Amino acid sequence: MLSPKILALTNEKVWKSPFYGWILRFADYIPISNGIENNVDKISKFVNDGYSILIFPEGTRSEDCSILRFHQGAFYLAEKLKLDILPIIVHGIGHILPKTEFMLRKGSVTIKIMDRIRPNNVEFRQFDQVYKIANTVRKHYEIEYQKMVEKLETPEYFQDLVLHNYVYKGVEIELKARKNLKKIKKLNTLLYSLPEKSKVLLRNCGQGELSLISALSRKNIIFYASDDYAENIEIAKNCVSIPSNLHYIENDNYINDYALTIDLQSMII
């Protein structure tokens, strides 16, 4: 959508995809499974015809939507052909179409275009090795992406994702989840008042809707969720979207170093 003259480089897996590989081949996308250095001449011809080259420096999507290691091919190509680098950050793809799933989820995608990096940029002229440039650009991505995460990934952002963890568990459980998720506005102010990297106990978590949405929207906090009813804990634990910072426990008496204890039952009344 940015321009009709953008050519994407792709890996072997995408190039041979039975679903859309034929579209990429028809559109003259370039597979680089044999190394980007072996395609410089071919890419150079497209550049001379006015094309921009689109490269995903991570090479694949991450399962947890974090920024992965950058491969050096994009920066090697920019150096070889003396091209500007226009960093673009995309947020939301991993939530709408997770790497481990085949079905689209409801959601939104946000695109941020950062400042152009030119070949004679003083900040990058000091580097004599491509991998150093790749690492420096990646750090810029991490900083800007984190700003987007803090702004966009609110409890409301994850509401539909959390609901879909309960839609196949029976009508009664689904209806209760829909009802409880309407109460998340009560949780917002409290969640964002919690100190970073703290431990929080969520008592009376019920089916786990509010504990799950809390952990997804505050990733730097460790949450422990408990409930007096073992069947509720079993329902809560059986969700595919549980992040690593959320732990369901049956007995919370032995843990006493929480920054705060929250009674989730008061949030859904």
Side-chain angles (χ1 to χ4, degrees):
M1 294 173 64
L2 294 174
S3 168
K5 302 198 76 173
I6 292 181
L7 184 70
L9 306 189
T10 182
N11 59 31
E12 189 76 7
K13 181 180 179 181
V14 174
W15 181 256
K16 292 183 177 180
S17 169
F19 297 103
Y20 46 79
W22 63 274
I23 299 176
L24 304 186
R25 292 190 288 272
F26 180 79
D28 283 335
Y29 281 32
I30 299 177
I32 53 172
S33 55
N34 62 335
I36 199 169
E37 64 278 1
N38 296 317
N39 290 277
V40 172
D41 292 340
K42 185 176 183 180
I43 295 172
S44 179
K45 292 177 182 179
F46 281 100
V47 171
N48 293 335
D49 287 337
Y51 280 83
S52 295
I53 307 301
L54 172 65
I55 299 178
F56 296 90
E58 296 165 290
T60 186
R61 291 177 295 143
S62 61
E63 293 188 15
D64 61 356
C65 298
S66 62
I67 303 292
L68 300 177
R69 179 181 70 87
F70 277 15
H71 295 283
Q72 300 170 28
F75 308 96
Y76 168 84
L77 188 65
E79 181 185 59
K80 201 75 174 175
L81 300 181
K82 304 303 179 186
L83 300 176
D84 292 356
I85 296 174
L86 187 62
I88 299 176
I89 301 179
V90 182
H91 175 277
I93 293 292
H95 298 139
I96 292 176
L97 183 60
K99 185 177 176 65
T100 56
E101 298 182 18
F102 294 98
M103 298 295 290
L104 282 168
R105 297 174 180 168
K106 181 181 177 181
S108 60
V109 174
T110 302
I111 297 176
K112 181 175 183 178
I113 302 176
M114 297 194 292
D115 293 336
R116 183 183 297 266
I117 300 172
R118 302 187 184 279
N120 61 350
N121 190 308
V122 175
E123 184 178 356
F124 296 94
R125 193 189 304 160
Q126 59 183 309
F127 299 125
D128 56 355
Q129 294 175 306
V130 172
Y131 82 90
K132 291 184 179 180
I133 300 177
N135 289 339
T136 300
V137 174
R138 181 181 178 278
K139 290 178 181 177
H140 283 296
Y141 268 78
E142 283 188 317
I143 293 171
E144 294 302 320
Y145 185 75
Q146 184 57 35
K147 292 178 182 178
M148 296 176 74
V149 166
E150 293 173 358
K151 179 180 179 180
L152 298 170
E153 294 186 12
T154 62
E156 288 84 0
Y157 178 86
F158 290 109
Q159 190 170 0
D160 190 71
L161 169 62
V162 171
L163 177 61
H164 277 76
N165 282 260
Y166 294 89
V167 294
Y168 300 113
K169 296 182 178 181
V171 175
E172 183 179 345
I173 292 175
E174 179 184 346
L175 290 176
K176 187 181 290 186
R178 290 182 182 275
K179 179 182 178 181
N180 290 342
L181 285 171
K182 291 180 180 179
K183 310 292 184 178
I184 60 175
K185 287 186 177 180
K186 287 186 176 181
L187 195 61
N188 276 2
T189 303
L190 182 57
L191 273 182
Y192 288 99
S193 67
L194 299 176
E196 292 289 328
K197 299 181 179 180
S198 58
K199 291 182 180 180
V200 176
L201 172 63
L202 303 174
R203 280 204 168 104
N204 296 313
C205 70
Q207 299 181 158
E209 307 94 334
L210 298 186
S211 54
L212 179 54
I213 212 166
S214 297
L216 287 169
S217 55
R218 294 301 310 272
K219 295 179 176 61
N220 291 328
I221 295 176
I222 303 298
F223 291 94
Y224 293 90
S226 67
D227 196 88
D228 292 336
Y229 297 96
E231 57 268 32
N232 280 340
I233 292 294
E234 286 304 310
I235 294 172
K237 288 168 65 176
N238 190 28
C239 291
V240 298
S241 301
I242 297 176
S244 59
N245 63 321
L246 174 59
H247 308 279
Y248 287 103
I249 56 177
E250 295 184 5
N251 184 355
D252 56 48
N253 294 327
Y254 68 93
I255 302 178
N256 54 17
D257 59 342
Y258 304 113
L260 185 66
T261 297
I262 301 174
D263 186 351
L264 289 181
Q265 184 63 32
S266 64
M267 298 289 170
I268 60 177
I269 295 177

